[in-house]
Amino acid sequence: MSRPTATRANGSRMDPAGGPLAGRHVLLGVSGGVAAYKAAALVRGLLREGATVQAILTESAARFVGAATFEGLTGRPVHTDVWADAHTVPHVALAREADVAVVAPATANVLAKFASGMADDLLSAAYLCLRCPVVIAPAMHTEMWEHPATRASVDVLATHGVELVGPASGSLAGGDEGLGRLVEEDELLDVVRRLAGTNGGGPLAGKRVVVTAGGTREPIDPVRFIGNRSSGKMGYALAAELVRRGANVDLVSGPSHLAAPGGARVHHVETALEMREAVLRLVDDADIVVKAAAVADFRPADYHKQKLKKESDEFAEVVLTRNPDILAELGERKNGTLLVGFAAETDLEEERGRDKLHRKGLDLIVINRVDMADAGFGVDTNRALLLDVNGGRTEVPLTTKARLATMVCDQVEDLIERAGEHEGSDDL
Ligand code: CTP
């Protein structure tokens, strides 16, 4: 006898024994790349985990893999066109019923459309209507991925609060090798499972979090400043991920060209002293402070209101004075706030990291490499070592900053849960 299953408004089955994605409805967008054939395997994986899947194919995706493949797998009609069944307003209806949306593979064209808000086909129009977690897995040739236009799309998408997964390195269409390959099915399923499970209801939901991001600029005169190479990408990715997990986020940002992550309140600052003032103003109401900013350790002792002449002695000998260490100050006056610090290192030396963790009164430290072409300042990827106050250690090999942000948030959630357990045991 078959097991009875309840049906939700969006048609998904609520089957308690049906796998980690049981009762979840996934909207799968497939765009036109060779990797479109892998989306069919992804449908299988999602179904195996208990999800129901609705596919939207772009016109060019349908040239790579026939709609019949997806219809056969999902058991539902595949949508490709805003004009078919127009009376059902498909871009709105399909987006509304989704618990999670996955776009795999996402071409450079689709990334650009999503980033710019264009809505000239069903997939891009549905994207604008999505209010659920969104996972985007780009796949394209390395040259296209590396082009400034695609980089700009990716930067904007990070601020929409979507999760970008990959691309990975490996064989590409036409026998080429390099970065641009669709990530493996397991990695995508991991992300979908996490987003379907948390969706704002996890330990970070409702927590007040202050995130700092970017570098500070310490002015010498109205024209010149001392600064550093920080782009803000790591802090902005963290703010976006925290918002996605339901946190109430204040982002204190040094100068950055990045657009504000949707859902976070952004406080723009320029100098270390301004950052300190903003953080101290916000910290009293905060449950968590994440200090991803690269704060200048020194500033010019005197600010010259007039532009210094290049011949002037004052310019030749700018005297520096030490900036306050905001994080150390927070550690000293700590009152139940969970503190996450960052350290920029040219190696991932554990002992020095642990020493910094304890010296600054932190709960978690993210030590990142800043001396490699694919890690640290300005790039989208990073390598890191996470050390927590309970002795935990997680080494993170090369990954995207978005993915590192999810790992940091996972660790913060663990720390919140452990702190909750301790509180509980004190009451006994
Ligand atoms: N930090 C801060 N205020 C400062 C300097 C740093 O709040 N004036 C914070 C940063 O936001 C980051 C961490 O402290 O979270 C970095 O710690 P720091 O001891 O400055 O380490 P590094 O700059 O990485 O390295 P170094 O040990 O060389 O100082």
Side-chain angles (χ1 to χ4, degrees), residues 291 293 295-297 324-327 341-344 356 360:
K291 288 230 64 220
V295 186
D297 292 313
D325 188 322
I326 309 165
L327 189 55
F342 275 67
K356 203 175 272 186
K360 293 204 182 194

Side-chain angles (χ1 to χ4, degrees), residues 24-48:
R24 299 293 171 163
H25 184 65
V26 178
L27 180 65
L28 175 66
V30 185
S31 61
V34 173
Y37 78 92
K38 293 188 182 169
L42 179 63
V43 172
R44 271 241 179 276
L46 290 164
L47 295 172
R48 208 172 40 241

Side-chain angles (χ1 to χ4, degrees), residues 212-214 216 272 275-276 279 290-298 322-330 340-345 352 356 359-360 362 365-368 370:
T212 69
T216 62
M275 183 169 280
R276 173 178 177 274
V279 170
V290 182
K291 288 230 64 220
V295 186
D297 292 313
F298 293 90
R322 194 175 281 277
N323 269 328
D325 188 322
I326 309 165
L327 189 55
E329 213 172 315
L330 296 178
V340 181
F342 275 67
E345 303 287 356
R352 212 168 48 237
K356 203 175 272 186
R359 197 160 28 87
K360 293 204 182 194
L362 308 180
I365 189 161
V366 182
I367 306 170
N368 34 171
V370 288

Side-chain angles (χ1 to χ4, degrees), residues 328-339:
E329 213 172 315
L330 296 178
E332 275 160 27
R333 47 180 274 179
K334 195 168 168 185
N335 187 13
T337 317
L338 200 150
L339 275 188

